[in-house]
Amino acid sequence: VSTQSTGGYEDVLFRPKRSTLKSRSDVTLERELRFRNSGLKYRGVPVMASNMDTTGTFNMARAFSTHKMFVCIHKHYTLEQWIEFANNNPDSMEHVAVSSGTGERDLEKLNEILSQVPINFICLDVANGYSEHFVEFVKKVRTAYPHKTIIAGNVVTGEMVEELILAGADLVKVGIGPGSVCTTRKKTGVGYPQLSAVLECADAAHGLGGHIVADGGCTCPGDVAKAFGAGADFVMLGGMFAGHDEGDGEVIEKDGQKFVKFYGMSSATAMQKHSGGVATYRTSEGKTVLIPYKGSIEDTIQDILGGVRSCCTYVGAVKLKELPKRTTFVRTTKQLNEIYGKKSINKTD
């Protein structure tokens, strides 16, 4: 049994430090990154929408591109839909990734899309990034596309981050089980506290000139800031971006209120929709929930980016790039004063 001290975002707070910043508006959230294996440069705000059915959508990409934010598009769009989106939204293309699993048909579809659509990023997404098959698949895609930036995952330990980067990945997705509609930890007992995973994996990746995406576990803007403080180069969000118009989710009215169906991509709902049901040799590792309908994504984007900017002013980071160097975490047993409950009359509070 490992005795190493580990924890999640809920276990720490930033220690404030003297700052020369006069205003949150002085903080620069855009970053310019050059990727190890593709050699490509990227400039943008490194917050990602997850490649889930109701967050990784073309409508989300249109909204995000105005903020230079990134979307991993879910893998269920057709080639024709991709072509239409690319033709109508050329300014969005530098801020999206095409997603793929590791099956033969997945690779065929990936090749079809990349042969006709100008996309720089490929997201190779599996629940368990520890299999030799996945490593070999990353190598195969790297060989086929030497100048595409590859995002691959998910893993939670340094040695596997290193293996995937050496296999050809530029960005490794970090996170097993922390997501709001993921039940992997419950069903399998497997996982790693997310903050500890980000700290360990960022150190491993940066030692090789690679990068990581902190995927899952954020419940509020402060958690996003903590992920960046721990060394994440990108932060991927699912639940925080769910429930909005741009997610194209099913809106359900119940007792006079509007809700949106949100589900994990290993849930019974997702497998029924895309695979005809849960295979007999496995169980679902995601859940389906109804979350309050939130309207436009714009308020949520401003809430998240505003929170990260404010964090930077508290620790004296003029640029998001500087945040890890300015970060000292302190352990805590209580994050919030909830004497008046968790809800506010304002949806972003």
Side-chain angles (χ1 to χ4, degrees), residues 4 6 127-130 152-162 164 172-178 184-185 190-202 204 212-216:
Q4 180 181 350
T6 58
N128 177 7
Y130 284 80
N154 281 37
V155 300
V156 289
T157 51
E159 79 279 358
M160 206 64 207
V161 168
E162 292 168 347
L164 288 172
V172 178
K173 287 207 294 141
V174 175
I176 292 180
T184 293
R185 293 177 179 179
V190 175
Y192 203 92
Q194 186 66 357
L195 179 69
S196 296
V198 172
L199 286 163
E200 177 179 330
C201 293
I212 68 161
V213 180
D215 178 15

Side-chain angles (χ1 to χ4, degrees), residues 71-86:
V71 178
C72 288
I73 303 295
H74 68 67
K75 69 177 185 178
H76 302 294
Y77 283 116
T78 65
L79 171 60
E80 291 71 25
Q81 289 172 310
W82 263 107
I83 292 172
E84 181 182 3
F85 173 74

Side-chain angles (χ1 to χ4, degrees), residues 206-259:
H206 297 160
L208 290 175
H211 299 85
I212 68 161
V213 180
D215 178 15
C218 291
T219 63
C220 59
D223 291 345
V224 179
K226 291 172 189 176
F228 283 125
D233 302 289
F234 284 78
V235 179
M236 176 177 274
L237 307 172
M240 289 181 69
F241 288 140
H244 297 89
D245 293 329
E246 294 80 0
D248 302 336
E250 179 184 355
V251 179
I252 297 169
E253 287 206 31
K254 188 176 181 181
D255 299 328
Q257 291 184 292
K258 289 184 177 181
F259 298 88

Side-chain angles (χ1 to χ4, degrees), residues 36-233:
R36 179 188 191 272
N37 292 314
S38 71
L40 296 181
K41 282 185 179 180
Y42 175 77
R43 184 173 181 84
V45 177
V47 176
M48 282 183 174
S50 174
N51 52 317
M52 303 171 78
D53 282 357
T54 56
T55 56
T57 66
F58 288 145
N59 281 331
M60 197 72 78
R62 291 185 189 97
F64 272 40
S65 65
T66 63
H67 299 275
K68 297 185 179 180
M69 292 164 61
F70 200 92
V71 178
C72 288
I73 303 295
H74 68 67
K75 69 177 185 178
H76 302 294
Y77 283 116
T78 65
L79 171 60
E80 291 71 25
Q81 289 172 310
W82 263 107
I83 292 172
E84 181 182 3
F85 173 74
N87 288 340
N88 294 333
N89 302 275
D91 293 341
S92 297
M93 295 307 295
E94 64 181 310
H95 301 292
V96 300
V98 57
S99 298
S100 174
T102 59
E104 289 185 16
R105 177 56 194 143
D106 289 320
L107 183 57
E108 290 172 5
K109 184 177 179 181
L110 178 66
N111 291 335
E112 290 170 1
I113 292 171
L114 290 176
S115 69
Q116 299 192 50
V117 184
I119 308 170
N120 288 331
F121 288 82
I122 301 169
C123 179
L124 302 179
D125 182 44
V126 297
N128 177 7
Y130 284 80
S131 70
E132 290 183 10
H133 170 71
F134 183 61
V135 175
E136 292 304 314
F137 190 81
V138 171
K139 291 179 180 178
K140 183 186 293 187
V141 175
R142 170 53 65 206
T143 300
Y145 301 103
H147 303 300
K148 300 290 187 186
T149 299
I150 296 176
I151 307 165
N154 281 37
V155 300
V156 289
T157 51
E159 79 279 358
M160 206 64 207
V161 168
E162 292 168 347
E163 183 160 356
L164 288 172
I165 289 172
L166 295 174
D170 296 288
L171 290 136
V172 178
K173 287 207 294 141
V174 175
I176 292 180
S180 58
V181 286
C182 180
T183 59
T184 293
R185 293 177 179 179
K186 178 179 178 181
K187 294 295 183 73
T188 71
V190 175
Y192 203 92
Q194 186 66 357
L195 179 69
S196 296
V198 172
L199 286 163
E200 177 179 330
C201 293
D203 184 58
H206 297 160
L208 290 175
H211 299 85
I212 68 161
V213 180
D215 178 15
C218 291
T219 63
C220 59
D223 291 345
V224 179
K226 291 172 189 176
F228 283 125
D233 302 289

Side-chain angles (χ1 to χ4, degrees), residues 310-346:
S310 190
C311 172
C312 289
T313 66
Y314 273 105
V315 299
V318 178
K319 301 178 181 178
L320 182 61
K321 177 183 178 180
E322 298 173 3
L323 185 55
K325 295 177 183 178
R326 302 287 300 174
T327 293
T328 301
F329 288 125
V330 292
R331 284 198 169 271
T332 181
T333 57
K334 185 177 181 180
Q335 290 274 332
L336 307 172
N337 182 340
E338 295 178 343
I339 188 172
Y340 296 117
K342 296 182 179 180
K343 299 295 184 181
S344 167
I345 61 174
N346 298 316

